[in-house]
Amino acid sequence: MTPAGVHHAAPGARPAPVTAQVTGPARGWLRLAWLYLVSRRAPAALALLAGFGALLWAALHWHWNVAGGAAAAIVIPLVTESGAAAVIAVTTYGPFGEPERATGRWLPWLRLGAAVVLTAAAIGVLAAGATGGDLPGGFVAMARNVAGLTGTGLLAAAALGGMLAWTGPMAYLVLTESALAAGLTTPWVWPARPPLDRGGAICAYAVFAAGLALVTARGVRESVRDT
Amino acid sequence: MTVTSLTARPAPAPAPRVAPRNLARLLWVELRHNAMPLVLPLIAVLFWFDSYRIAATLPPLWVVRLYYILGQGHALIDFAPFVAGVAAWMGSRDGRRGMGDLVTATVRPRWEAQLATWAATAIWAVGAYLVVMAVTLALLGRSVAWGGPPWWPVAADAVGIAAFASLGFTLGACFPSRFIAPMAAFGGLFAMAISSQTGFSASGGWALILPTMSNGNFGQDAGIFYQWLPDLPIDRVIFAAGVAVAAAGLLGLRPAAGGLRLRHCAAVVTVTGAAASVAAVVLAFTAQLGPYGVVIPALHDAASDRPVRYTPACGHAGIPVCLQPAYRPYLPDVTAALRPLIGEVAGLPGAPVRASQVAAVFAGGPGVQIGPASVGQILTLSGSPPALYMPLGAMALPNSFGADTAGFIDQIKVEAVHTLVTSGGAYGNPAQQAVEAALLQKAGIPPADQPSAMSTTPWPLMGGGPRSAAKYPPAIAAAARRFAALPTATRHAWLAAHLAALRAGHLTLAQLP
């Protein structure tokens, strides 16, 4: 006899709690999404995003500045935005690997949904943090930067794996600071562009879209070194 | 039969000591399964873009090319955050996977196994840094004419990377989570940003221990006229090594790390590392700025004060012009700058009979004059017979700070004319300014270009707006035109008769011909 043939509970076994029973497709969907988010540590990620929002608020409220030129002027908001993007990128790391891919029919949609929801949450908490003072570039620039940086994180997740996805925003941050110090004004260095600059926005959102598409369709890379 | 009558049995052969070999195998396993190699290509690309690409465009002198990479700590900025992040990931491995109890129950003490993982992570990081620096130095050195790179700052950064690896690993082991790696990395980046900010603004004290602090300890003519002083890099090595050891020791303090003896050993290691770091900071407070850099009395070796021997590279610009061989690429520029001027003043009393390069130093000291107090290190005229002394290391060389060859030549012309006409670093009275303007015109800088040529010197023309757009006062400009229009023999004869009085500031504008 296999477990599939068991139709009755063993004597003395406790019945399953009523609240855990799935009563409809919507509830099932919600439960699936919740389990996925928990497996990706999304609640902890939201707490960290809130922390970055608080950090941005404190930096703007108490005027934390780094002396210098264009590179230094935006370094604190950019570090905060990069931190938020790195946290989102790291949530793509999944602990289940092959079994999950083999059985998770809705996995691509869950990956897409989680990335979009967390990016929106990051923009939301950083917008709240921006109420602490005068954010360089305002909301539009911040949303563009977060989207683009998250895109670099998702691309890094696809290339290096979820465990190292944070290297994307980090590397982009270092490159941006170096490019700004050298006076480069290419739209690929979008944090240096004005808030309503079309080229910068196209580049940032294109990177975000590319990252989303790659992570949705292919998932993140799994490495043998992910030990 | 008594016990004493028993024949003694030979002692059993000692068990083979397999522990070191097992530890080596464990280290080998950790090296093969380490996550660090995955990010090394990314670090290499960042290093190329952020450090090498900029250094390769700078003047071909070791001290200038490595100022950005080692002096301002960009090598560490490129490596440290990523190393800290990956080390945190490796340190958090057992905790993330919920295997803490399982591995604690194994025969090998937990601390020992963690040290193997830590060592593998640090070996990958430091090894990669050394390889990258070796390639960088080889590429940068191809166009450097003379001298060698400083090794102690390279070592200080290597130990600094080990310290970041150690801190990240300990953080990961103590707070295992998927988010610890980005948090450690951003913590590292934030620390380096603060270090850069402090390093730019501070001038001494505890801030000298920061790897991005270059004020007074990396630059001028170090490694060219005098040796690289190793005092501060050695102090930084002590500090970083102390941090690395203390962080690794912290891992062994936890109850699951091993037996009581092992934890006592870990405590000793931790305290030793912390003491070394504190001692290094205390030593930084005792540092003094000397002519050749930062001197820490407790670490200073008098042999480091010996000047560097060299055979000068000489050319001719009407008078012999000799430079330190590291500056050989600039010899044509210097002779081109001096030749027209020497042609104007040759034979005059007080005119230079030779020109020699002197060291640009960090500060004045016994037997070392830093130049006129108000303007710092400039070309000076002194001695008998007079010689022109040129601290080229204190000037903006071509391809540095936005300077080009024409600007460099003009800067030499302006400073040489100024020191000939105006003694010391003073601005000069109207008569001196007028003669200076005329001589500059004869040396190849037209009056219209002189405000721009003088804008980067200590004596820019004042006009209320941008320095390069300023003009001479009309009276001075008119006198300069008159003086420049004189026949060469007349001008030479007037200078022969009046140069001493002019230099002393005894002539007025009306007394010019």
Side-chain angles (χ1 to χ4, degrees):
Chain A
M1 188 178 76
T2 64
V6 177
H7 297 293
H8 303 286
R14 282 198 309 174
V18 176
T19 53
Q21 289 176 356
V22 175
T23 57
R27 189 149 189 175
W29 262 101
L30 281 175
R31 181 172 159 74
L32 181 63
W34 172 247
L35 289 175
Y36 178 83
L37 289 172
V38 167
S39 76
R40 265 53 179 179
R41 303 288 187 268
L46 284 173
L48 284 170
L49 291 178
F52 279 113
L55 181 67
L56 181 63
W57 186 91
L60 295 175
H61 185 72
W62 284 296
H63 304 289
W64 297 351
N65 287 319
V66 174
I74 61 169
V75 69
I76 294 214
L78 200 55
V79 164
T80 317
E81 291 156 5
S82 301
V87 166
I88 296 168
V90 168
T91 60
T92 59
Y93 171 69
F96 305 119
E98 184 70 26
E100 187 185 55
R101 284 203 307 277
T103 56
R105 231 175 104 199
W106 301 105
L107 208 51
W109 301 107
L110 290 169
R111 288 194 291 248
L112 174 68
V116 170
V117 165
L118 285 173
T119 306
I123 291 172
V125 295
L126 290 178
T131 59
D134 187 18
L135 181 69
F139 174 81
V140 176
M142 183 271 291
R144 175 196 64 192
N145 295 348
V146 170
L149 286 162
T150 304
T152 63
L154 296 177
L155 289 174
L160 298 172
M163 63 169 188
L164 294 174
W166 53 270
T167 57
M170 167 77 74
Y172 184 81
L173 174 64
V174 174
L175 289 176
T176 298
E177 287 295 314
S178 183
L180 281 173
L184 295 181
T185 55
T186 166
W188 292 105
V189 187
W190 54 78
R193 309 284 284 197
L196 298 176
D197 178 71
R198 187 179 299 172
I202 288 173
C203 289
Y205 288 112
V207 168
F208 182 56
L212 269 183
L214 217 52
V215 165
T216 301
R218 292 191 50 201
V220 299
R221 181 182 170 188
E222 283 169 21
S223 167
V224 292
R225 283 196 172 87
D226 182 14
T227 53
Chain B
M1 192 175 70
T2 63
V3 174
T4 52
S5 64
L6 283 174
T7 53
R9 286 196 304 179
R17 291 177 63 84
V18 295
R21 198 194 308 164
N22 285 348
L23 198 60
R25 284 176 60 193
L26 185 59
L27 179 62
W28 176 242
V29 169
E30 293 292 353
L31 280 169
R32 281 170 39 214
H33 290 278
N34 205 278
M36 193 65 78
L38 288 175
V39 295
L40 292 181
L42 180 67
I43 294 176
V45 170
L46 281 179
F47 183 87
W48 168 81
F49 186 83
D50 185 44
S51 295
Y52 175 79
R53 186 180 59 92
I54 295 170
T57 64
L58 294 173
L61 299 169
W62 280 119
V63 65
V64 179
R65 291 206 153 178
L66 295 180
Y67 177 78
Y68 192 74
I69 296 178
L70 296 176
Q72 293 193 332
H74 275 260
L76 204 54
I77 291 173
D78 297 336
F79 268 83
F82 294 92
V83 167
V86 175
W89 183 260
M90 294 307 299
S92 67
R93 179 182 59 189
D94 297 339
R96 276 186 289 110
R97 303 211 151 216
M99 297 196 306
D101 289 342
L102 190 66
V103 292
T104 302
T106 56
V107 65
R108 194 164 290 283
R110 190 72 210 107
W111 190 40
E112 197 177 316
Q114 281 184 316
L115 284 184
T117 314
W118 168 82
T121 308
I123 286 171
W124 271 114
V126 175
Y129 166 78
L130 293 176
V131 168
V132 165
M133 280 308 294
V135 173
T136 300
L137 294 177
L139 292 176
L140 291 179
R142 286 183 305 178
S143 54
V144 176
W146 192 88
W151 298 113
W152 273 108
V154 176
D157 275 6
V159 182
I161 286 171
F164 272 97
S166 205
L167 285 171
F169 190 90
T170 303
L171 207 59
C174 294
F175 306 100
S177 153
R178 70 169 62 196
F179 298 110
I180 196 62
M183 290 300 107
F186 277 88
L189 189 70
F190 195 74
M192 293 306 294
I194 298 298
S195 172
S196 288
Q197 167 71 356
T198 309
F200 279 136
S201 55
S203 58
W206 71 270
L208 284 169
I209 210 72
L210 297 174
T212 54
M213 163 74 169
S214 59
N215 294 336
N217 66 78
F218 202 107
Q220 305 298 355
D221 276 329
I224 297 175
F225 279 95
Y226 40 87
Q227 300 178 46
W228 302 96
L229 288 190
D231 303 18
L232 189 58
I234 290 174
D235 197 32
R236 288 175 179 171
V237 166
I238 295 171
F239 176 76
V243 170
V245 168
L250 278 175
L251 291 171
L253 296 180
R254 297 187 298 176
L260 199 59
R261 193 172 165 187
L262 199 70
R263 281 155 58 196
H264 283 164
C265 181
V268 170
V269 167
T270 306
V271 170
T272 305
S277 296
V278 171
V281 174
V282 171
L283 285 174
F285 274 109
T286 67
Q288 300 153 359
L289 184 62
Y292 309 135
V294 169
V295 173
I296 298 176
L299 301 174
H300 191 64
D301 181 1
S304 303
D305 293 333
R306 283 200 295 265
V308 173
R309 291 173 175 273
Y310 62 90
T311 304
C314 295
H316 211 270
I319 57 173
V321 177
C322 291
L323 304 184
Q324 212 280 354
Y327 284 82
R328 186 190 299 273
Y330 301 104
L331 188 57
D333 298 337
V334 176
T335 54
L338 294 180
R339 187 172 290 115
L341 175 66
I342 297 300
E344 279 291 314
V345 301
L348 293 177
V353 297
R354 63 185 173 87
S356 296
Q357 186 187 3
V358 292
V361 293
F362 290 93
V368 178
Q369 191 178 356
I370 196 167
S374 58
V375 294
Q377 302 177 72
I378 56 171
L379 269 66
T380 54
L381 193 61
S382 62
S384 180
L388 185 66
Y389 294 106
M390 306 175 292
L392 298 183
M395 303 174 91
L397 297 169
N399 299 323
S400 66
F401 306 107
D404 55 12
T405 302
F408 176 61
I409 290 175
D410 284 354
Q411 199 178 355
I412 295 174
K413 287 177 178 175
V414 171
E415 289 197 17
V417 168
H418 190 87
T419 193
L420 185 72
V421 175
T422 309
S423 60
Y427 203 87
N429 64 21
Q432 289 169 327
Q433 287 187 59
V435 172
E436 200 173 312
L439 289 178
L440 283 176
Q441 183 181 346
K442 291 297 171 188
I445 306 179
D449 294 343
Q450 289 181 18
S452 175
M454 297 168 78
S455 63
T456 56
T457 68
W459 319 280
L461 294 179
M462 302 300 181
R467 288 179 166 188
S468 57
K471 290 180 178 176
Y472 286 106
I476 294 177
R481 273 196 304 274
R482 279 201 314 275
F483 192 74
L486 292 174
T488 304
T490 309
R491 191 168 55 245
H492 198 269
W494 186 90
L495 284 171
H498 298 94
L499 184 57
L502 182 71
R503 290 195 80 203
H506 294 158
L507 297 186
T508 64
L509 210 53
Q511 292 174 288
L512 294 185

